[in-house]
Amino acid sequence: MKLFKEFIKDYLGFILVYFISTFCMILYFYLETNISSVIYPIGISLFLLIIFLGIRYYQYDTFRKSLNQVIVNNLHEVESFNNLQKSVSDLIKKLRKETFEEQRAMTTKLNNNKQFFSHWIHTMKTPISVIDLIIQKIKSGESLDISDIDLENKKLLNLLEQVLNLIRLDDFETDFQLETIDLVSLIHLMINERKKEFIYKNIYPKVNVSDKKIDITTDVKWNRIIIDQLINNALKYSNPEKKLIFEINQNNQKVTLSIKDEGIGIPEYDLYRLFEPFFTGSNGRQSNNSSGIGLFVVKQICDKLNHHISIESEVGVGTEVTITYLTNL
């Protein structure tokens, strides 16, 4: 009964038009001719109306049942009998496809996060184990340099920062602010902040710059994360008593920052996969000290800030990472 009432409500306008038209027809025959002569055509049209409404009611009922089936079974196809119902059916298909894609993307992201955190926890164990070994040696009376613990502690902090940066990427659009900064001053500042690490690693930073001041448009915080990660990688894979060269050049509306180490280099077969999440490559597997997330986060940030990143490397010679900035975004 409820369905019938809803059906009559939806077709009320059509039924009213029919009876108004019929009334006008009866009125015309009443004024012009014998009223009894209109009974026959009125009877036929009423019979046809009932048949029409019966067919419409069947289609209406079938369509409503199809919609209810979609709620129970998301893969159920909606039966449609007119353009309006077809539009509803097409909309459901579109929403179903979008929902499926969102669910697939969410599932992929959850699986990636699960894989990352599993690998990250495993990587965290290495510096913790080293610190524990140092403590045991100190307890046994051996004289050890405290800088060894400091280095492992920095590795832990770096791993924690990678996790935080990965989480922050989800809210990137609400957590960045573009401004103009001096890239030369920033590089000198970041090198000075890590002076002890350069000394400990016996690596010599060198800055080659075409001008004393070169402005770029970027987000300061996120840009520092990019550069900091690239310095981490360079320090990790550089050979002792070698240079780490920072080269900054400006060409029209573009500024390039190249960070070139004289380290072990990256095999050619690994280069095209460096920005994939959780990819550690042959170097990372050998050192057992790579999370496989650093360059992935760097690439994501560069894409969001409209900065371009490229990597060139040769085994036994070194690696050069180049960031290209636009002076005005």
PDB file of all heavy atoms in Angstrom, residues 20-51:
ATOM      1  N   ILE A  20      -8.575  16.618 -16.063  1.00  0.00           N
ATOM      2  CA  ILE A  20      -8.913  17.983 -16.500  1.00  0.00           C
ATOM      3  C   ILE A  20      -9.250  17.987 -17.982  1.00  0.00           C
ATOM      4  O   ILE A  20     -10.222  18.625 -18.423  1.00  0.00           O
ATOM      5  CB  ILE A  20      -7.752  18.947 -16.186  1.00  0.00           C
ATOM      6  CG1 ILE A  20      -7.627  19.150 -14.671  1.00  0.00           C
ATOM      7  CG2 ILE A  20      -7.975  20.307 -16.869  1.00  0.00           C
ATOM      8  CD1 ILE A  20      -6.404  19.936 -14.251  1.00  0.00           C
ATOM      9  N   SER A  21      -8.438  17.243 -18.765  1.00  0.00           N
ATOM     10  CA  SER A  21      -8.699  17.138 -20.204  1.00  0.00           C
ATOM     11  C   SER A  21     -10.047  16.463 -20.449  1.00  0.00           C
ATOM     12  O   SER A  21     -10.834  16.877 -21.316  1.00  0.00           O
ATOM     13  CB  SER A  21      -7.585  16.343 -20.891  1.00  0.00           C
ATOM     14  OG  SER A  21      -6.335  16.971 -20.714  1.00  0.00           O
ATOM     15  N   THR A  22     -10.318  15.412 -19.693  1.00  0.00           N
ATOM     16  CA  THR A  22     -11.603  14.711 -19.830  1.00  0.00           C
ATOM     17  C   THR A  22     -12.776  15.620 -19.468  1.00  0.00           C
ATOM     18  O   THR A  22     -13.821  15.631 -20.144  1.00  0.00           O
ATOM     19  CB  THR A  22     -11.605  13.463 -18.932  1.00  0.00           C
ATOM     20  OG1 THR A  22     -10.504  12.624 -19.271  1.00  0.00           O
ATOM     21  CG2 THR A  22     -12.907  12.676 -19.089  1.00  0.00           C
ATOM     22  N   PHE A  23     -12.622  16.387 -18.402  1.00  0.00           N
ATOM     23  CA  PHE A  23     -13.671  17.319 -17.996  1.00  0.00           C
ATOM     24  C   PHE A  23     -13.949  18.349 -19.097  1.00  0.00           C
ATOM     25  O   PHE A  23     -15.113  18.657 -19.403  1.00  0.00           O
ATOM     26  CB  PHE A  23     -13.270  18.017 -16.698  1.00  0.00           C
ATOM     27  CG  PHE A  23     -14.209  19.107 -16.292  1.00  0.00           C
ATOM     28  CD1 PHE A  23     -15.438  18.812 -15.696  1.00  0.00           C
ATOM     29  CD2 PHE A  23     -13.883  20.440 -16.518  1.00  0.00           C
ATOM     30  CE1 PHE A  23     -16.313  19.835 -15.330  1.00  0.00           C
ATOM     31  CE2 PHE A  23     -14.755  21.454 -16.159  1.00  0.00           C
ATOM     32  CZ  PHE A  23     -15.967  21.155 -15.564  1.00  0.00           C
ATOM     33  N   CYS A  24     -12.871  18.860 -19.708  1.00  0.00           N
ATOM     34  CA  CYS A  24     -13.029  19.839 -20.787  1.00  0.00           C
ATOM     35  C   CYS A  24     -13.744  19.217 -21.988  1.00  0.00           C
ATOM     36  O   CYS A  24     -14.578  19.858 -22.652  1.00  0.00           O
ATOM     37  CB  CYS A  24     -11.668  20.394 -21.204  1.00  0.00           C
ATOM     38  SG  CYS A  24     -10.873  21.396 -19.951  1.00  0.00           S
ATOM     39  N   MET A  25     -13.445  17.944 -22.262  1.00  0.00           N
ATOM     40  CA  MET A  25     -14.080  17.248 -23.373  1.00  0.00           C
ATOM     41  C   MET A  25     -15.578  17.074 -23.100  1.00  0.00           C
ATOM     42  O   MET A  25     -16.433  17.302 -23.973  1.00  0.00           O
ATOM     43  CB  MET A  25     -13.404  15.874 -23.569  1.00  0.00           C
ATOM     44  CG  MET A  25     -13.856  15.153 -24.840  1.00  0.00           C
ATOM     45  SD  MET A  25     -13.133  13.493 -24.941  1.00  0.00           S
ATOM     46  CE  MET A  25     -11.411  13.863 -24.801  1.00  0.00           C
ATOM     47  N   ILE A  26     -15.897  16.657 -21.862  1.00  0.00           N
ATOM     48  CA  ILE A  26     -17.311  16.467 -21.495  1.00  0.00           C
ATOM     49  C   ILE A  26     -18.061  17.801 -21.562  1.00  0.00           C
ATOM     50  O   ILE A  26     -19.202  17.870 -22.060  1.00  0.00           O
ATOM     51  CB  ILE A  26     -17.419  15.854 -20.086  1.00  0.00           C
ATOM     52  CG1 ILE A  26     -16.849  14.426 -20.082  1.00  0.00           C
ATOM     53  CG2 ILE A  26     -18.861  15.844 -19.593  1.00  0.00           C
ATOM     54  CD1 ILE A  26     -16.742  13.821 -18.707  1.00  0.00           C
ATOM     55  N   LEU A  27     -17.410  18.853 -21.071  1.00  0.00           N
ATOM     56  CA  LEU A  27     -18.036  20.170 -21.094  1.00  0.00           C
ATOM     57  C   LEU A  27     -18.319  20.621 -22.523  1.00  0.00           C
ATOM     58  O   LEU A  27     -19.388  21.182 -22.820  1.00  0.00           O
ATOM     59  CB  LEU A  27     -17.133  21.191 -20.392  1.00  0.00           C
ATOM     60  CG  LEU A  27     -17.667  22.625 -20.287  1.00  0.00           C
ATOM     61  CD1 LEU A  27     -18.957  22.648 -19.456  1.00  0.00           C
ATOM     62  CD2 LEU A  27     -16.602  23.537 -19.661  1.00  0.00           C
ATOM     63  N   TYR A  28     -17.364  20.329 -23.419  1.00  0.00           N
ATOM     64  CA  TYR A  28     -17.555  20.715 -24.819  1.00  0.00           C
ATOM     65  C   TYR A  28     -18.757  19.977 -25.424  1.00  0.00           C
ATOM     66  O   TYR A  28     -19.620  20.575 -26.071  1.00  0.00           O
ATOM     67  CB  TYR A  28     -16.275  20.407 -25.608  1.00  0.00           C
ATOM     68  CG  TYR A  28     -16.440  20.557 -27.097  1.00  0.00           C
ATOM     69  CD1 TYR A  28     -16.414  21.827 -27.690  1.00  0.00           C
ATOM     70  CD2 TYR A  28     -16.647  19.433 -27.899  1.00  0.00           C
ATOM     71  CE1 TYR A  28     -16.592  21.948 -29.054  1.00  0.00           C
ATOM     72  CE2 TYR A  28     -16.806  19.558 -29.257  1.00  0.00           C
ATOM     73  CZ  TYR A  28     -16.780  20.825 -29.840  1.00  0.00           C
ATOM     74  OH  TYR A  28     -16.947  20.955 -31.187  1.00  0.00           O
ATOM     75  N   PHE A  29     -18.787  18.647 -25.209  1.00  0.00           N
ATOM     76  CA  PHE A  29     -19.902  17.879 -25.773  1.00  0.00           C
ATOM     77  C   PHE A  29     -21.237  18.274 -25.129  1.00  0.00           C
ATOM     78  O   PHE A  29     -22.290  18.241 -25.766  1.00  0.00           O
ATOM     79  CB  PHE A  29     -19.652  16.377 -25.575  1.00  0.00           C
ATOM     80  CG  PHE A  29     -18.813  15.774 -26.646  1.00  0.00           C
ATOM     81  CD1 PHE A  29     -17.422  15.760 -26.542  1.00  0.00           C
ATOM     82  CD2 PHE A  29     -19.401  15.229 -27.781  1.00  0.00           C
ATOM     83  CE1 PHE A  29     -16.650  15.213 -27.537  1.00  0.00           C
ATOM     84  CE2 PHE A  29     -18.618  14.661 -28.776  1.00  0.00           C
ATOM     85  CZ  PHE A  29     -17.226  14.653 -28.669  1.00  0.00           C
ATOM     86  N   TYR A  30     -21.194  18.646 -23.882  1.00  0.00           N
ATOM     87  CA  TYR A  30     -22.420  19.050 -23.185  1.00  0.00           C
ATOM     88  C   TYR A  30     -22.994  20.327 -23.791  1.00  0.00           C
ATOM     89  O   TYR A  30     -24.213  20.481 -23.923  1.00  0.00           O
ATOM     90  CB  TYR A  30     -22.114  19.244 -21.699  1.00  0.00           C
ATOM     91  CG  TYR A  30     -23.294  19.770 -20.915  1.00  0.00           C
ATOM     92  CD1 TYR A  30     -24.356  18.920 -20.560  1.00  0.00           C
ATOM     93  CD2 TYR A  30     -23.361  21.106 -20.543  1.00  0.00           C
ATOM     94  CE1 TYR A  30     -25.446  19.398 -19.843  1.00  0.00           C
ATOM     95  CE2 TYR A  30     -24.446  21.595 -19.827  1.00  0.00           C
ATOM     96  CZ  TYR A  30     -25.475  20.727 -19.474  1.00  0.00           C
ATOM     97  OH  TYR A  30     -26.558  21.232 -18.786  1.00  0.00           O
ATOM     98  N   LEU A  31     -22.080  21.245 -24.172  1.00  0.00           N
ATOM     99  CA  LEU A  31     -22.529  22.514 -24.722  1.00  0.00           C
ATOM    100  C   LEU A  31     -22.891  22.421 -26.194  1.00  0.00           C
ATOM    101  O   LEU A  31     -23.742  23.168 -26.695  1.00  0.00           O
ATOM    102  CB  LEU A  31     -21.449  23.584 -24.529  1.00  0.00           C
ATOM    103  CG  LEU A  31     -21.116  23.954 -23.064  1.00  0.00           C
ATOM    104  CD1 LEU A  31     -19.946  24.928 -23.026  1.00  0.00           C
ATOM    105  CD2 LEU A  31     -22.344  24.542 -22.370  1.00  0.00           C
ATOM    106  N   GLU A  32     -22.259  21.511 -26.926  1.00  0.00           N
ATOM    107  CA  GLU A  32     -22.424  21.468 -28.374  1.00  0.00           C
ATOM    108  C   GLU A  32     -23.355  20.363 -28.855  1.00  0.00           C
ATOM    109  O   GLU A  32     -24.108  20.542 -29.813  1.00  0.00           O
ATOM    110  CB  GLU A  32     -21.048  21.309 -29.049  1.00  0.00           C
ATOM    111  CG  GLU A  32     -20.099  22.468 -28.799  1.00  0.00           C
ATOM    112  CD  GLU A  32     -20.568  23.742 -29.477  1.00  0.00           C
ATOM    113  OE1 GLU A  32     -21.244  23.659 -30.520  1.00  0.00           O
ATOM    114  OE2 GLU A  32     -20.219  24.830 -28.964  1.00  0.00           O
ATOM    115  N   THR A  33     -23.278  19.223 -28.257  1.00  0.00           N
ATOM    116  CA  THR A  33     -24.033  18.065 -28.755  1.00  0.00           C
ATOM    117  C   THR A  33     -24.668  17.303 -27.603  1.00  0.00           C
ATOM    118  O   THR A  33     -24.669  17.757 -26.459  1.00  0.00           O
ATOM    119  CB  THR A  33     -23.105  17.125 -29.543  1.00  0.00           C
ATOM    120  OG1 THR A  33     -22.072  16.675 -28.668  1.00  0.00           O
ATOM    121  CG2 THR A  33     -22.500  17.817 -30.747  1.00  0.00           C
ATOM    122  N   ASN A  34     -25.050  16.094 -27.913  1.00  0.00           N
ATOM    123  CA  ASN A  34     -25.655  15.217 -26.907  1.00  0.00           C
ATOM    124  C   ASN A  34     -24.572  14.655 -25.988  1.00  0.00           C
ATOM    125  O   ASN A  34     -23.574  14.082 -26.451  1.00  0.00           O
ATOM    126  CB  ASN A  34     -26.403  14.073 -27.616  1.00  0.00           C
ATOM    127  CG  ASN A  34     -27.198  13.236 -26.614  1.00  0.00           C
ATOM    128  OD1 ASN A  34     -27.199  13.509 -25.423  1.00  0.00           O
ATOM    129  ND2 ASN A  34     -27.875  12.219 -27.125  1.00  0.00           N
ATOM    130  N   ILE A  35     -24.755  14.801 -24.708  1.00  0.00           N
ATOM    131  CA  ILE A  35     -23.747  14.376 -23.728  1.00  0.00           C
ATOM    132  C   ILE A  35     -23.505  12.870 -23.765  1.00  0.00           C
ATOM    133  O   ILE A  35     -22.416  12.391 -23.465  1.00  0.00           O
ATOM    134  CB  ILE A  35     -24.181  14.805 -22.307  1.00  0.00           C
ATOM    135  CG1 ILE A  35     -23.044  14.531 -21.297  1.00  0.00           C
ATOM    136  CG2 ILE A  35     -25.452  14.079 -21.876  1.00  0.00           C
ATOM    137  CD1 ILE A  35     -21.830  15.334 -21.580  1.00  0.00           C
ATOM    138  N   SER A  36     -24.499  12.097 -24.165  1.00  0.00           N
ATOM    139  CA  SER A  36     -24.349  10.639 -24.178  1.00  0.00           C
ATOM    140  C   SER A  36     -23.341  10.157 -25.214  1.00  0.00           C
ATOM    141  O   SER A  36     -22.765   9.069 -25.077  1.00  0.00           O
ATOM    142  CB  SER A  36     -25.712   9.968 -24.442  1.00  0.00           C
ATOM    143  OG  SER A  36     -26.226  10.388 -25.702  1.00  0.00           O
ATOM    144  N   SER A  37     -23.073  10.963 -26.232  1.00  0.00           N
ATOM    145  CA  SER A  37     -22.146  10.548 -27.288  1.00  0.00           C
ATOM    146  C   SER A  37     -20.684  10.564 -26.844  1.00  0.00           C
ATOM    147  O   SER A  37     -19.810  10.024 -27.524  1.00  0.00           O
ATOM    148  CB  SER A  37     -22.321  11.454 -28.515  1.00  0.00           C
ATOM    149  OG  SER A  37     -22.046  12.808 -28.167  1.00  0.00           O
ATOM    150  N   VAL A  38     -20.377  11.194 -25.703  1.00  0.00           N
ATOM    151  CA  VAL A  38     -18.989  11.257 -25.222  1.00  0.00           C
ATOM    152  C   VAL A  38     -18.638  10.096 -24.301  1.00  0.00           C
ATOM    153  O   VAL A  38     -17.478   9.883 -23.973  1.00  0.00           O
ATOM    154  CB  VAL A  38     -18.743  12.601 -24.499  1.00  0.00           C
ATOM    155  CG1 VAL A  38     -19.321  12.574 -23.084  1.00  0.00           C
ATOM    156  CG2 VAL A  38     -17.256  12.921 -24.445  1.00  0.00           C
ATOM    157  N   ILE A  39     -19.653   9.349 -23.872  1.00  0.00           N
ATOM    158  CA  ILE A  39     -19.399   8.268 -22.911  1.00  0.00           C
ATOM    159  C   ILE A  39     -18.475   7.206 -23.492  1.00  0.00           C
ATOM    160  O   ILE A  39     -17.548   6.727 -22.829  1.00  0.00           O
ATOM    161  CB  ILE A  39     -20.736   7.641 -22.464  1.00  0.00           C
ATOM    162  CG1 ILE A  39     -21.565   8.670 -21.697  1.00  0.00           C
ATOM    163  CG2 ILE A  39     -20.480   6.405 -21.593  1.00  0.00           C
ATOM    164  CD1 ILE A  39     -22.941   8.180 -21.297  1.00  0.00           C
ATOM    165  N   TYR A  40     -18.716   6.844 -24.744  1.00  0.00           N
ATOM    166  CA  TYR A  40     -17.919   5.790 -25.367  1.00  0.00           C
ATOM    167  C   TYR A  40     -16.434   6.162 -25.454  1.00  0.00           C
ATOM    168  O   TYR A  40     -15.568   5.397 -24.983  1.00  0.00           O
ATOM    169  CB  TYR A  40     -18.488   5.448 -26.742  1.00  0.00           C
ATOM    170  CG  TYR A  40     -17.719   4.362 -27.460  1.00  0.00           C
ATOM    171  CD1 TYR A  40     -17.770   3.034 -27.024  1.00  0.00           C
ATOM    172  CD2 TYR A  40     -16.923   4.660 -28.557  1.00  0.00           C
ATOM    173  CE1 TYR A  40     -17.062   2.047 -27.668  1.00  0.00           C
ATOM    174  CE2 TYR A  40     -16.209   3.668 -29.207  1.00  0.00           C
ATOM    175  CZ  TYR A  40     -16.279   2.358 -28.766  1.00  0.00           C
ATOM    176  OH  TYR A  40     -15.570   1.384 -29.398  1.00  0.00           O
ATOM    177  N   PRO A  41     -16.041   7.328 -26.059  1.00  0.00           N
ATOM    178  CA  PRO A  41     -14.604   7.682 -26.104  1.00  0.00           C
ATOM    179  C   PRO A  41     -13.992   7.892 -24.728  1.00  0.00           C
ATOM    180  O   PRO A  41     -12.821   7.572 -24.507  1.00  0.00           O
ATOM    181  CB  PRO A  41     -14.580   8.970 -26.933  1.00  0.00           C
ATOM    182  CG  PRO A  41     -15.955   9.495 -26.880  1.00  0.00           C
ATOM    183  CD  PRO A  41     -16.867   8.309 -26.770  1.00  0.00           C
ATOM    184  N   ILE A  42     -14.812   8.421 -23.793  1.00  0.00           N
ATOM    185  CA  ILE A  42     -14.281   8.596 -22.435  1.00  0.00           C
ATOM    186  C   ILE A  42     -13.987   7.242 -21.813  1.00  0.00           C
ATOM    187  O   ILE A  42     -12.974   7.043 -21.129  1.00  0.00           O
ATOM    188  CB  ILE A  42     -15.279   9.378 -21.558  1.00  0.00           C
ATOM    189  CG1 ILE A  42     -15.373  10.830 -22.032  1.00  0.00           C
ATOM    190  CG2 ILE A  42     -14.837   9.342 -20.086  1.00  0.00           C
ATOM    191  CD1 ILE A  42     -14.094  11.602 -21.957  1.00  0.00           C
ATOM    192  N   GLY A  43     -14.844   6.262 -22.052  1.00  0.00           N
ATOM    193  CA  GLY A  43     -14.629   4.915 -21.518  1.00  0.00           C
ATOM    194  C   GLY A  43     -13.357   4.286 -22.072  1.00  0.00           C
ATOM    195  O   GLY A  43     -12.597   3.630 -21.351  1.00  0.00           O
ATOM    196  N   ILE A  44     -13.170   4.488 -23.388  1.00  0.00           N
ATOM    197  CA  ILE A  44     -11.954   3.933 -24.014  1.00  0.00           C
ATOM    198  C   ILE A  44     -10.699   4.586 -23.445  1.00  0.00           C
ATOM    199  O   ILE A  44      -9.720   3.906 -23.108  1.00  0.00           O
ATOM    200  CB  ILE A  44     -12.027   4.113 -25.544  1.00  0.00           C
ATOM    201  CG1 ILE A  44     -13.150   3.254 -26.137  1.00  0.00           C
ATOM    202  CG2 ILE A  44     -10.682   3.742 -26.181  1.00  0.00           C
ATOM    203  CD1 ILE A  44     -13.354   3.446 -27.626  1.00  0.00           C
ATOM    204  N   SER A  45     -10.705   5.917 -23.341  1.00  0.00           N
ATOM    205  CA  SER A  45      -9.512   6.619 -22.814  1.00  0.00           C
ATOM    206  C   SER A  45      -9.245   6.252 -21.362  1.00  0.00           C
ATOM    207  O   SER A  45      -8.092   6.136 -20.937  1.00  0.00           O
ATOM    208  CB  SER A  45      -9.689   8.139 -22.957  1.00  0.00           C
ATOM    209  OG  SER A  45     -10.755   8.592 -22.122  1.00  0.00           O
ATOM    210  N   LEU A  46     -10.307   6.043 -20.572  1.00  0.00           N
ATOM    211  CA  LEU A  46     -10.122   5.626 -19.179  1.00  0.00           C
ATOM    212  C   LEU A  46      -9.514   4.224 -19.110  1.00  0.00           C
ATOM    213  O   LEU A  46      -8.645   3.953 -18.272  1.00  0.00           O
ATOM    214  CB  LEU A  46     -11.468   5.649 -18.452  1.00  0.00           C
ATOM    215  CG  LEU A  46     -11.433   5.321 -16.957  1.00  0.00           C
ATOM    216  CD1 LEU A  46     -10.548   6.316 -16.222  1.00  0.00           C
ATOM    217  CD2 LEU A  46     -12.837   5.313 -16.360  1.00  0.00           C
ATOM    218  N   PHE A  47      -9.970   3.342 -20.016  1.00  0.00           N
ATOM    219  CA  PHE A  47      -9.410   1.986 -20.084  1.00  0.00           C
ATOM    220  C   PHE A  47      -7.921   2.030 -20.437  1.00  0.00           C
ATOM    221  O   PHE A  47      -7.097   1.344 -19.817  1.00  0.00           O
ATOM    222  CB  PHE A  47     -10.184   1.169 -21.121  1.00  0.00           C
ATOM    223  CG  PHE A  47      -9.612  -0.199 -21.338  1.00  0.00           C
ATOM    224  CD1 PHE A  47      -9.763  -1.209 -20.396  1.00  0.00           C
ATOM    225  CD2 PHE A  47      -8.905  -0.491 -22.514  1.00  0.00           C
ATOM    226  CE1 PHE A  47      -9.224  -2.468 -20.606  1.00  0.00           C
ATOM    227  CE2 PHE A  47      -8.368  -1.747 -22.727  1.00  0.00           C
ATOM    228  CZ  PHE A  47      -8.530  -2.739 -21.767  1.00  0.00           C
ATOM    229  N   LEU A  48      -7.599   2.877 -21.418  1.00  0.00           N
ATOM    230  CA  LEU A  48      -6.186   3.023 -21.815  1.00  0.00           C
ATOM    231  C   LEU A  48      -5.356   3.624 -20.689  1.00  0.00           C
ATOM    232  O   LEU A  48      -4.191   3.267 -20.488  1.00  0.00           O
ATOM    233  CB  LEU A  48      -6.090   3.884 -23.073  1.00  0.00           C
ATOM    234  CG  LEU A  48      -6.685   3.277 -24.352  1.00  0.00           C
ATOM    235  CD1 LEU A  48      -6.618   4.290 -25.504  1.00  0.00           C
ATOM    236  CD2 LEU A  48      -5.950   1.998 -24.738  1.00  0.00           C
ATOM    237  N   LEU A  49      -5.934   4.559 -19.926  1.00  0.00           N
ATOM    238  CA  LEU A  49      -5.231   5.157 -18.780  1.00  0.00           C
ATOM    239  C   LEU A  49      -4.891   4.087 -17.745  1.00  0.00           C
ATOM    240  O   LEU A  49      -3.781   4.064 -17.204  1.00  0.00           O
ATOM    241  CB  LEU A  49      -6.096   6.246 -18.154  1.00  0.00           C
ATOM    242  CG  LEU A  49      -5.549   6.842 -16.845  1.00  0.00           C
ATOM    243  CD1 LEU A  49      -4.240   7.592 -17.119  1.00  0.00           C
ATOM    244  CD2 LEU A  49      -6.570   7.769 -16.194  1.00  0.00           C
ATOM    245  N   ILE A  50      -5.886   3.213 -17.492  1.00  0.00           N
ATOM    246  CA  ILE A  50      -5.645   2.161 -16.499  1.00  0.00           C
ATOM    247  C   ILE A  50      -4.523   1.234 -16.952  1.00  0.00           C
ATOM    248  O   ILE A  50      -3.649   0.849 -16.168  1.00  0.00           O
ATOM    249  CB  ILE A  50      -6.948   1.375 -16.252  1.00  0.00           C
ATOM    250  CG1 ILE A  50      -7.989   2.276 -15.569  1.00  0.00           C
ATOM    251  CG2 ILE A  50      -6.677   0.140 -15.393  1.00  0.00           C
ATOM    252  CD1 ILE A  50      -9.366   1.654 -15.457  1.00  0.00           C
ATOM    253  N   ILE A  51      -4.536   0.861 -18.253  1.00  0.00           N
ATOM    254  CA  ILE A  51      -3.462   0.009 -18.787  1.00  0.00           C
ATOM    255  C   ILE A  51      -2.115   0.711 -18.682  1.00  0.00           C
ATOM    256  O   ILE A  51      -1.112   0.121 -18.263  1.00  0.00           O
ATOM    257  CB  ILE A  51      -3.761  -0.379 -20.249  1.00  0.00           C
ATOM    258  CG1 ILE A  51      -4.995  -1.280 -20.325  1.00  0.00           C
ATOM    259  CG2 ILE A  51      -2.550  -1.062 -20.882  1.00  0.00           C
ATOM    260  CD1 ILE A  51      -5.413  -1.654 -21.730  1.00  0.00           C
TER     261      ILE A  51
END
